[in-house]
Amino acid sequence: MKLLLVGATGLVGSHVLALALADPRIGSVAAPARRDLPAHPRLLSPRVDFEHLPESASWWQADAVICTLGTTLRAAGSREAFRQVDYAYPLAVARIARRHGTPTCVLNSAMGADVASKFFYNRIKGELERDLAQVGFTSLTFVRPGLIGGERDEFRPAERAMAAVLRAAAPMLPRRWRINPAANIARALIEAAVGAADGMHVVPSEDLFRPETNKPPQK
């Protein structure tokens, strides 16, 4: 299959890229990014500006698109900038890919995604899920992790503090509140893209916290 991956330079996206390039089911990966990625014989990585996406590029046509784009309010600097990265860019990517015939979309969303949420982050994720559902994909999957475990390039003190608390309390916590390793999330994204079950599906955080967990998405 041909996979289109956006967000390949981030924590989850880099895991998706590594898994995809090692997966014999995936013949090629197109990973448009703002900076260069390491060369690989099955990887096409054009440099792009997400403000001005090349809508006529042939690599938009794929069997599935996986989107792991995302930032934080602190890194973005404002709510408007955060919304641009976590809502506007993913939606634009999805619409262009669908216009080029890509039938399957898989989004790395978030636990608590809800258009009615009182929390800005969760509300934006909910709005994106709602609007992706209107794009017209044959298969659409939302993977909803909680706190993501792994080493990031950027320092996120709040996440590190929360991760330490959750690790200490893990035996007493419900599964949905435990840390979700980035590798687990990446595997769920890949399986949803390769499996491409018709309809809309959700992979909840409780299915992402153990390495051996690889359940099919819920309808």
Side-chain angles (χ1 to χ4, degrees), residues 14-101:
S14 63
H15 280 81
V16 172
L17 180 60
L19 288 174
L21 293 176
D23 194 323
R25 300 171 297 177
I26 298 173
S28 63
V29 179
R34 287 175 170 169
R35 62 177 187 262
D36 293 335
L37 294 171
H40 189 281
R42 292 193 288 123
L43 173 64
L44 171 66
S45 181
R47 294 188 70 172
V48 298
D49 176 358
F50 284 94
E51 292 286 347
H52 305 284
L53 290 167
E55 298 189 23
S56 62
S58 60
W59 43 259
W60 288 108
Q61 187 173 3
D63 295 298
V65 55
I66 293 178
C67 180
T68 63
L69 285 172
T71 186
T72 63
L73 274 170
R74 180 174 177 270
S78 69
R79 288 192 169 197
E80 292 74 18
F82 174 85
R83 193 175 194 278
Q84 191 72 1
V85 175
D86 275 59
Y87 171 83
Y89 292 169
L91 186 58
V93 163
R95 286 172 171 167
I96 298 171
R98 187 70 193 105
R99 286 201 297 270
H100 280 260

Side-chain angles (χ1 to χ4, degrees), residues 29-194:
V29 179
R34 287 175 170 169
R35 62 177 187 262
D36 293 335
L37 294 171
H40 189 281
R42 292 193 288 123
L43 173 64
L44 171 66
S45 181
R47 294 188 70 172
V48 298
D49 176 358
F50 284 94
E51 292 286 347
H52 305 284
L53 290 167
E55 298 189 23
S56 62
S58 60
W59 43 259
W60 288 108
Q61 187 173 3
D63 295 298
V65 55
I66 293 178
C67 180
T68 63
L69 285 172
T71 186
T72 63
L73 274 170
R74 180 174 177 270
S78 69
R79 288 192 169 197
E80 292 74 18
F82 174 85
R83 193 175 194 278
Q84 191 72 1
V85 175
D86 275 59
Y87 171 83
Y89 292 169
L91 186 58
V93 163
R95 286 172 171 167
I96 298 171
R98 187 70 193 105
R99 286 201 297 270
H100 280 260
T102 300
T104 298
C105 178
V106 186
L107 173 71
N108 185 42
S109 186
M111 181 176 71
D114 186 347
V115 294
S117 176
K118 295 180 181 178
F119 299 100
F120 178 73
Y121 179 88
N122 291 343
R123 189 164 67 249
I124 293 299
K125 295 296 186 181
E127 289 175 2
L128 177 58
E129 288 190 5
R130 176 199 63 196
D131 293 345
L132 284 177
Q134 305 303 314
V135 174
F137 289 103
T138 303
S139 176
L140 177 62
T141 300
F142 303 128
V143 177
R144 293 176 178 167
L147 185 65
I148 300 172
E151 292 299 319
R152 297 183 183 273
D153 291 336
E154 61 179 304
F155 180 61
R156 297 184 179 184
E159 284 192 7
R160 288 195 178 185
M162 180 60 71
V165 172
L166 291 181
R167 287 192 189 97
M172 300 175 288
L173 291 173
R175 290 193 306 174
R176 70 190 303 264
W177 290 104
R178 300 184 191 183
I179 294 173
N180 298 149
N184 294 13
I185 301 165
R187 278 193 289 270
L189 292 163
I190 290 282
E191 291 307 316
V194 173

